[in-house]
């Protein structure tokens, strides 16, 4: 596995009049700065899968995802870097040119197969339940013990070693919960985890993730999905513009924009006590901002 440079300072303090008025501090852990194309949490989620595949002499590695899956795009790039042929089973039918994430995967050599919802579920279940001698299969989003193990290391970055204990809250956007599970194992017990699902009707995640969550101090915010996974509104686009121009913070439309919108809204509503110190995990996905206003 080719490691990125983890020694740089990924912490970005945010300044704004609202934060001064409410006496709330925000720092962004800019994992997107790992790389312009795949930066974010995906290296942590895929790291041990790829190490495992290479140690077992696999030449092919495959996974599953939807048209907005940063996981799929990152796997294609990591496969190319490590001389692994990549295969993606995609829950999508129609014109893939609307989805820059899929175009990124294809450009980096991934063989894509497009499936209906039923075909997708059947394929993922069958391929993961059966052993394959030629292809190393990873579940959607890298949601395994190996993915969680990698995400435990996010809060162990050098730039956080003298800072982590100072944060009262750690906030992250949630898809399948792999990153949240890893964070729960490496944060301090007195820190409040904030989980903001990017998908609609995500309450099922509370029970589904119980076996993987160590820190039970989690506050779930289910109202910032903006219509569902990959869905956006004019209001969300306006907030992305605001964050970029006023906070010097680029956000992706699928995950981090919804997360930051929720945090900003909660600050405006006096949810956070004065002197709260919030660490926001930027999970990347900026490659998906191509054609941002195509709806």
């Amino acid at each position: 596995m080719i490691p990125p440079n983890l020694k740089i300072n990924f912490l970005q303090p945010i300044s704004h009049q609202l934060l001064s008025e409410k006496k709330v501090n925000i720092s962004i852990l800019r994992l997107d700065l790992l790389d312009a194309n795949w930066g974010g949490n995906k290296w942590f989620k895929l790291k041990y899968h790829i190490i495992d595949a290479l140690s077992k002499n696999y030449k092919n590695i495959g996974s599953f995802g939807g048209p907005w899956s940063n996981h799929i795009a990152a796997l294609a790039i990591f496969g190319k870097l490590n001389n692994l042929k990549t295969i993606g089973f995609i829950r999508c039918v129609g014109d893939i040119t609307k989805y820059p994430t899929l175009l990124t995967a294809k450009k980096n050599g991934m063989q894509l197969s497009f499936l209906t919802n039923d075909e997708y579920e059947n394929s993922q279940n069958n391929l993961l339940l059966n052993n394959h001698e030629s292809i190393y299969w990873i579940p959607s989003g890298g949601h395994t013990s190996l993915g969680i193990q990698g995400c435990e290391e996010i809060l162990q970055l050098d730039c956080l070693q003298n800072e982590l204990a100072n944060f009262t809250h750690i906030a992250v956007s949630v898809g399948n919960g792999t990153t949240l599970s890893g964070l729960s194992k490496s944060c301090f017990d007195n820190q409040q985890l904030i989980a903001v699902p990017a998908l609609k009707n995500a309450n099922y995640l509370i029970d589904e993730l119980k076996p993987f969550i160590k820190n039970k101090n989690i506050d779930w915010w289910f109202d910032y999905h903006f219509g569902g996974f990959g869905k956006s509104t004019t209001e969300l686009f306006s907030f992305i513009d605001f964050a970029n121009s006023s906070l010097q913070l680029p956000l992706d439309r699928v995950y981090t924009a919804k997360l930051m919108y929720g945090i900003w809204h909660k600050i405006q509503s006096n949810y956070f006590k004065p002197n709260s110190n919030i660490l926001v995990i930027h999970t990347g996905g900026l490659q998906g901002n191509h054609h941002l206003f195509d709806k």
Side-chain angles (χ1 to χ4, degrees):
M1 181 67 176
I2 300 173
N5 179 10
L6 300 177
K7 301 293 184 180
I8 65 176
N9 184 6
F10 297 102
L11 275 179
Q12 177 185 335
I14 298 296
S15 298
H16 191 270
Q17 182 179 351
L18 175 67
L19 301 180
S20 299
E21 291 175 355
K22 303 295 185 179
K23 297 181 180 179
V24 172
N25 298 312
I26 295 179
S27 294
I28 312 297
L29 187 63
R30 293 282 307 274
L31 297 181
D32 61 297
L33 297 178
L34 281 167
D35 187 88
N37 293 309
W38 53 260
N41 60 342
K42 300 304 178 285
W43 184 81
F44 297 92
K45 293 172 75 171
L46 287 169
K47 169 186 174 181
Y48 288 109
H49 290 109
I50 293 177
I51 289 174
D52 190 41
L54 292 172
S55 71
K56 295 174 179 175
N57 297 315
Y58 278 91
K59 303 299 182 185
N60 305 285
I61 192 166
S63 194
F64 312 82
W68 300 107
S69 175
N70 299 322
H71 164 78
I72 287 293
L75 180 62
I77 295 171
F78 295 151
K80 184 176 181 180
L81 290 173
N82 290 280
N83 296 314
L84 290 166
K85 181 180 178 181
T86 55
I87 301 154
F89 279 27
I90 311 300
R91 189 202 305 261
C92 177
V93 291
D95 183 8
I96 73 166
T97 62
K98 297 189 296 182
Y99 305 110
T101 296
L102 295 182
L103 295 178
T104 297
K106 185 177 180 181
K107 183 179 72 173
N108 284 281
M110 179 173 276
Q111 175 187 321
L112 301 176
S113 296
F114 299 100
L115 308 173
T116 65
N117 285 340
D118 288 342
E119 290 172 335
Y120 179 91
E121 294 299 340
N122 290 334
S123 295
Q124 178 161 215
N125 291 337
N126 290 336
L127 291 170
L128 292 176
L129 286 173
N130 297 293
N131 293 324
H132 290 265
E133 294 182 359
S134 61
I135 302 173
Y136 185 100
W137 287 105
I138 303 172
S140 173
H143 189 44
T144 69
S145 59
L146 292 177
I148 293 171
Q149 178 185 352
C151 289
E152 286 185 53
E153 299 176 1
I154 290 174
L155 296 182
Q156 298 167 8
L157 288 168
D158 285 4
C159 63
L160 285 173
Q161 292 312 296
N162 297 321
E163 302 290 339
L164 182 59
N166 297 325
F167 292 106
T168 56
H169 301 75
I170 299 173
V172 66
S173 184
V174 177
N176 59 27
T178 308
T179 303
L180 176 67
S181 299
L183 296 175
S184 78
K185 296 177 184 299
S186 51
C187 70
F188 292 102
D189 289 340
N190 64 334
Q191 291 175 321
Q192 175 84 65
L193 282 174
I194 297 172
V196 184
L199 52 158
K200 192 175 181 179
N201 300 323
N203 302 66
Y204 69 90
L205 287 169
I206 296 177
D207 290 331
E208 188 173 283
L209 294 177
K210 278 182 179 178
F212 309 103
I213 298 291
K214 178 183 177 182
N215 186 320
K216 301 299 188 292
N217 193 19
I218 299 178
D219 193 8
W220 289 90
W221 298 354
F222 293 106
D223 297 329
Y224 298 104
H225 53 75
F226 287 85
F229 189 72
K231 302 293 185 180
S232 307
T233 66
T234 301
E235 185 177 14
L236 186 64
F237 290 139
S238 296
F239 183 78
I240 291 173
D241 284 341
F242 159 76
N244 193 55
S245 60
S246 298
L247 307 180
Q248 290 71 57
L249 179 63
L251 300 172
D252 82 294
R253 64 190 284 186
V254 179
Y255 286 107
T256 56
K258 297 177 180 182
L259 169 65
M260 274 301 295
Y261 182 99
I263 291 170
W264 211 253
H265 179 254
K266 292 287 192 180
I267 292 173
Q268 291 172 326
S269 305
N270 298 311
Y271 171 88
F272 293 100
K273 296 178 180 179
N275 300 317
S276 292
N277 192 14
I278 308 165
L279 177 66
V280 179
I281 311 298
H282 194 309
T283 51
L286 296 180
Q287 92 288 328
N289 279 357
H290 297 292
H291 314 303
L292 180 62
F293 294 98
D294 291 351
K295 311 209 183 41

